[in-house]
Amino acid sequence: MKLRIPLCAALVAAPTAAPLSAWTPRLHEAATVKAVRMVPRRLSLLLRAHPQILLEAARGQANDQPATAADVESEFRTSLCRIKVGGGAETLVREVGVLAHLVQSLNDPSCTTGVTPLRDVFEAYADEKLPKLVVTREPFWALDAPLDPGPRLEAWAATKAARAKLLEACVDATGKRLGPWDDLSLPFAQLQLSFSNSVHATANLWILLYRQAGALWPLPADPEAPTLGSGTQVP
């Protein structure tokens, strides 16, 4: 992905869009914390150094409209531009927090339109089941994939739409749960898959950013890196 400086300047000059609400703030926090553990160590150290800024951005704020693949790609490009143009650590951490929120929203199968009975019921259910959710193993495709996130975002949006259709049969028009909602049910399976996918999607988009502009980030030194005899840290 090649971005010209004038385009970057225009994007950076625009205010950062307020992240949209999808998963509950607790789900966004949990997914973001888990994603931090999956990225290159020095990037992880940077994010861990500013936890309040990262998690505040990742939680987002109330908004009826869900994130689309285009919203996530736009934020990805804006984040990349801000990194290339320059900015302090706190600004960069806030940017990746917003990006985390949006891509996690893109993986919430109940959040396909405005506020609906399904969305209300499923997100309350997600909060209830959060202690039981785990992250399953998925490939870190961003390590050697093309740098354009667009095709992946579109694929995630299509998966979300398919999952939403399955969930719609589990709630009536008033928001009453239909059929089982226990740990062996379809709603729980959709929740587990979507949460795990959200964590991996967050980590992979961060890795794509890191591959393109990591050299420009104010990354902290790795305290566990080996040193030369003179005490100079090995890069």
Side-chain angles (χ1 to χ4, degrees):
M1 181 190 304
K2 295 182 180 179
L3 298 176
R4 297 177 180 176
I5 293 301
L7 173 58
C8 283
L11 289 172
V12 171
T16 301
L20 313 177
S21 176
W23 295 113
T24 64
R26 289 182 63 216
L27 264 290
H28 280 296
E29 282 193 9
T32 302
V33 168
K34 291 182 183 298
V36 168
R37 302 171 185 167
M38 298 180 174
V39 297
R41 180 172 174 78
R42 291 184 65 200
L43 174 55
S44 178
L45 289 172
L46 173 64
L47 300 179
R48 291 169 188 263
H50 304 278
Q52 292 182 333
I53 293 172
L54 176 66
L55 295 181
E56 180 182 4
R59 284 193 294 268
Q61 55 187 263
N63 190 304
D64 292 349
Q65 298 306 311
T68 65
D71 292 328
V72 183
E73 183 168 6
S74 175
E75 179 58 32
F76 180 90
R77 292 176 182 274
T78 299
S79 297
L80 183 58
C81 281
R82 289 183 188 277
I83 294 167
K84 289 185 174 182
V85 172
E90 293 184 358
T91 298
L92 300 181
V93 170
R94 185 175 295 107
E95 285 291 333
V96 299
V98 172
L99 181 62
H101 181 95
L102 291 176
V103 73
Q104 291 161 17
S105 301
L106 188 62
N107 281 274
D108 177 357
S110 72
C111 185
T112 58
T113 183
V115 178
T116 63
L118 171 60
R119 185 172 172 182
D120 287 340
V121 170
F122 189 73
E123 290 174 2
Y125 178 70
D127 253 4
E128 172 192 335
K129 295 295 184 180
L130 177 57
K132 296 187 176 184
L133 299 181
V134 298
V135 178
T136 56
R137 181 171 295 181
E138 296 182 26
F140 288 96
W141 53 265
L143 292 173
D144 54 10
L147 298 177
D148 181 3
R152 293 279 178 173
L153 298 174
E154 293 294 343
W156 294 338
T159 297
K160 170 181 178 171
R163 289 174 177 170
K165 287 186 179 297
L166 293 174
L167 283 175
E168 287 170 359
C170 299
V171 175
D172 69 12
T174 68
K176 179 182 178 181
R177 296 180 182 182
L178 302 176
W181 281 65
D182 59 22
D183 294 357
L184 298 178
S185 66
L186 184 147
F188 185 79
Q190 296 299 312
L191 172 61
Q192 171 57 67
L193 286 169
S194 300
F195 177 76
S196 183
N197 292 163
S198 292
V199 174
H200 281 278
T202 301
N204 275 291
L205 283 193
W206 286 349
I207 291 170
L208 276 189
L209 281 178
Y210 185 75
R211 282 179 58 202
Q212 296 183 67
L216 302 176
W217 288 39
L219 299 173
D222 186 346
E224 295 186 7
T227 58
L228 300 174
S230 62
T232 302
Q233 190 172 64
V234 177

